[in-house]
Amino acid sequence: MKRCIMHLDMDAFFASVEQLDHPEWKGKPVIVGGSGDRGVVCAASYEARKFGVHSAMPIVQARKLCPNGIYADISRGRYVEISRKVMSVLYSYSPVIEQASIDEAFIDATGAGHLFGSPLEMAQGMKQKIFDTVGLTCSIGIAPVKFLAKIASDYNKPNGLFAIYEEDVSTFLQELPVRKIPGVGKKFVEKLDELGVSTCGHVLEYSLEFWERRFGKSGIALWERANGIDERAVEPSIEAKSESAETTLHKDTLDKVLLKKWLMRHADRVGQNQRKHGLKGRTITLKVKYSDFQSLTRSKTLPDPTNTTDVIYQVAADLLDAIDLVKPVRLIGLGLSNYNNTGLEQLNMLDHMQHRCTGVVRATKKQQQIDEALDAVRNKFGNKVICRGSLFGFTDE
Ligand SMILES: [Mg+2]
């Protein structure tokens, strides 16, 4: 299958968060930096960039260029909080997310097409959902390989969306300056300049052997990129290897029957996403937040990895049953983690022996067939057309 990779980059992230938290700073040059006048610029709003201010510039220099700018301290905790929210939006689209920095991520959207429409529609949806969730804009690039997705996200910034399709890759690369290739630094650019090489088109005028002889590994990489080759996969980061779904209820409740309906809905969504990507997890985590915001989690690890809705649900429901609800619940969620990345069944004999006699929940053939049938219908007609019998008539209200 052809790969579809997206790169998401928040627009002027730190500066935009400051403008969000201080609405009176909107439309004004905001410069975020630490350590008073001895520090460097961490982020500059687009208004500040017009004055020539950019990140990594000494604050002193920025003050000369933009004396009337607003100079804000770094609100690290706030950036992390918003970053987490952004990333969790991404997980509702694909479990294969590689967070590249606090405000950047690669998304493997290969195979997610049927669920969310065309890649452009999917990216459009992501941008909207991120804006609705955190109130900030981002830019997304779409391409068959990682480095082009990253270049594409920078193409129409801010609030950009740009796709480089397989059939357009060579045309796009022909005029692309080599300095735009991630990893090609200043010094390398200078050396290439001496050879009269400034675009990817120029790179291809020399053979792979030439580049290898001249620059070794970097030369090979350059030739590959100029040909649109980038074999790197989107690698989910360790802590990112989980998928979850949670809901803050309209009304706090002690009703376990109602809470279990939510668990079924969450299990269904998480399971469906995992199946779509051929992933399975072994650990199911239940999350409950009480009306006083105190929260608790309970986990259970299964001997076999699963992505079967009923199994995920049953384990979470059992975990809920084991809890004595002391206060009304305001949020209920569940997560699946502990993946085997290949998506293949991993038979762990030791675990098998330990769990054999302890009433472990395992998927039956019938449950798997129900999942397959539901997925097939939903992939074709969308998620709303069909639901499990137990969720019939159950709405968000
Ligand atoms: Mg950014």
Side-chain angles (χ1 to χ4, degrees), residues 247-286:
T247 302
T248 302
L249 307 170
H250 286 280
K251 235 166 110 189
D252 299 349
T253 184
L254 283 163
D255 182 355
K256 280 192 176 173
V257 176
L258 176 68
L259 292 172
K260 283 183 186 172
K261 292 213 172 201
W262 277 110
L263 288 180
M264 176 50 106
R265 172 177 280 211
H266 293 333
D268 205 12
R269 210 183 87 193
V270 168
Q272 191 189 357
N273 266 336
Q274 301 301 300
R275 293 191 293 275
K276 188 84 210 166
H277 295 273
L279 292 170
K280 292 181 174 188
R282 290 178 57 213
T283 303
I284 289 132
T285 303
L286 168 78

Side-chain angles (χ1 to χ4, degrees), residues 156-169:
N156 282 333
K157 244 182 179 314
N159 203 9
L161 176 54
F162 189 71
I164 303 170
Y165 296 104
E166 185 94 47
E167 56 270 28
D168 301 326
V169 166

Side-chain angles (χ1 to χ4, degrees), residues 9-13 103-104 157:
D9 188 13
M10 299 301 291
D11 298 327
F13 185 51
D103 75 324
E104 262 180 80
K157 244 182 179 314

Side-chain angles (χ1 to χ4, degrees), residues 70-113:
I70 295 155
Y71 289 81
D73 281 335
I74 301 168
S75 329
R76 201 176 304 273
R78 196 57 189 127
Y79 308 149
V80 171
E81 181 192 340
I82 292 186
S83 168
R84 285 211 180 112
K85 285 185 185 163
V86 169
M87 297 303 151
S88 69
V89 169
L90 300 187
Y91 281 108
S92 65
Y93 285 87
S94 166
V96 189
I97 308 287
E98 178 182 333
Q99 190 168 356
S101 75
I102 189 163
D103 75 324
E104 262 180 80
F106 287 99
I107 302 113
D108 192 336
T110 313

Side-chain angles (χ1 to χ4, degrees), residues 186-207:
K186 247 189 187 163
K187 286 208 174 128
F188 199 9
V189 170
E190 279 168 20
K191 283 183 202 160
L192 292 172
D193 216 36
E194 289 166 15
L195 291 167
V197 170
S198 63
T199 66
C200 289
H202 294 153
V203 173
L204 299 183
E205 288 167 14
Y206 297 87
S207 67

